[in-house]
Amino acid sequence: MANSPGVGDRGIRVRMAPSPTGPLHIGTARTSLYNYLFARHVGGTYVLRIEDTDAARGSDEHERDIIDNLHWLGITWDEGPQVAGGEDIGPFGPYHQSQRSSLYAAEAERLLASAQAFRCYCTPEELDAVRREQEERKEPPRYSGRCRNLTDAERDAFETEGRRAAIRFRVPGEVVTFDDLIRGRVEIAAEALGGDRVIVRSDGSPLYHFVVVVDDAAMRITHVIRGEDHLSNTPLHVLLFRALGHDVPVFAHIPLILNPDRTKMSKRRSQTAIRAYREQGYLPEAMVNFLAFLGWSPGTEEEIFALKTLAERFEIEHVHKAGAVFDKDRLDYLNGVYIRSLTDEQLAVRLRSFVPEALDDRGLLAVIPLIKERMVRLADAGELVAFLVEADGEVASRYGPDGLMSPKADAAATAMALTRARTELEATAAEDFAAGELEARCRGAAEALGWKAGDFFKPMRVAITGRTVSPPLFGSMELLGRERCLARIDAALAKLATVVAA
Ligand code: GLU
């Protein structure tokens, strides 16, 4: 282990410690963000440690997803793998738990040598039997303490039997107290830990509670900022830090993220992978702004914050204790704000992967003013601009005669109105074929016929775009050009003719 003594002894050090058992989760992203904001706010060091000891297959893929999506959010760190599959950077590496086994083994030996841990020879069957008896007596599960004080002879006997020992930490019977930066003073009786706890399984693999403490100590972590779901683990961690002779870091447990009905956010009920939000076209700026407010607020009415400003303003003491409700409408709102804050050119770059390739960069830039106000997510653009690249026949195949009709008009009346619209379009020269001119003409025609503008425009919109919801009609017609508009109206009239004739 290449720990250079002295490095990082001073100064604040925080870490995020994701387990690569799935793609980057919204809760992990928020925890990572809070650690980032805290570290940047105080000028400390930020460490990424990959907790891959228990990771099942596919962990490389999840690690990649986690790192890529943290980068996408704009979160950076100073130590640990900087890119997925890349080298671990920093003086306290390796930063993958799967590569730190020798340290864990040595630290467990140290606890055994000081009698703060002991070898436990109980088999899973024996432990199960005890648990069942406890259940019958309606007692909480608790290690019986059978191997706590084995004599050498008893130990030898188990060894001779071929039993392989787990290592248990001797949990002292005390009330563990710590000052949480968010929750204030926390007191939890060690009694609640269920007796002496296994820190290394009989197959030699160490458990999370042990390795997290060994690593936080080895990496000189001064502040542990993590989800409140870990609060009940903290007393055990505090006891382990002490037993290993290390300073106990400062803890800050951040509130859970809740569904709108205040149940705990779960994969089943909500979309939890950051990747999914990214794929739908949420902007990282909006996502970060949204995540920051899941449990924190600046104490003012301000709501739009860039990552840099968040880092300036973020005070960990202002994180709330109460659960943070995940409000998707708020995310949508923020996304719209950020989309509209981009220039058309910037938005074009962001939209490129969300719109059909057939729409060239010029076409994309031209349509942006029409769709910018209408987009909640970048992916919405795909549907909004599709009419520009779809063939006329494809557009026509999207609707039937009924789809063209205005609410109060039948096929014959709709055909009459659409014919009138066609006349206006045909009378407009290609060089005058612009939104303002077209709108003035069509409004005039609607008025002359005694039609409400909206009713008159509906069949036009469906004919031109194949959809009842589209970017502004006349701007869309301008982009499409005179000939294609006429062809699309002709196709619509042909459809109407089939029902008028019948
Ligand atoms: N690997 C743990 C998790 O993903 C880290 C918990 C901690 O921050 O201590 O929940």
Side-chain angles (χ1 to χ4, degrees), residues 18 39 81 112 131 153 185-186 198 215 228 259 261 266 309 314 352 368 384 402 447 474 483 486 493:
L112 283 171
R131 200 170 308 131
R185 172 140 294 207
V186 180
V198 173
D215 282 343
E228 196 191 288
N259 291 310
D261 64 3
S266 70
T309 324
F314 186 81
R352 192 63 265 182
I368 282 179
L384 287 169
D402 288 349
E447 209 176 312
F474 299 102
E483 297 319 308
L486 288 172
L493 285 170

Side-chain angles (χ1 to χ4, degrees), residues 15 17-19 51 208 212 224 226 230:
R15 51 40 166 206
S19 310
E51 304 216 317
Y208 157 73
V212 77
V224 171
R226 61 185 175 191
H230 285 289

Side-chain angles (χ1 to χ4, degrees), residues 15-19 28 31 49 51 97 208 212 216 224-227 229-230 237:
R15 51 40 166 206
M16 59 181 140
S19 310
T28 313
T31 303
R49 180 173 74 228
E51 304 216 317
Q97 288 189 328
Y208 157 73
V212 77
D216 282 343
V224 171
I225 303 168
R226 61 185 175 191
D229 45 334
H230 285 289
H237 299 180

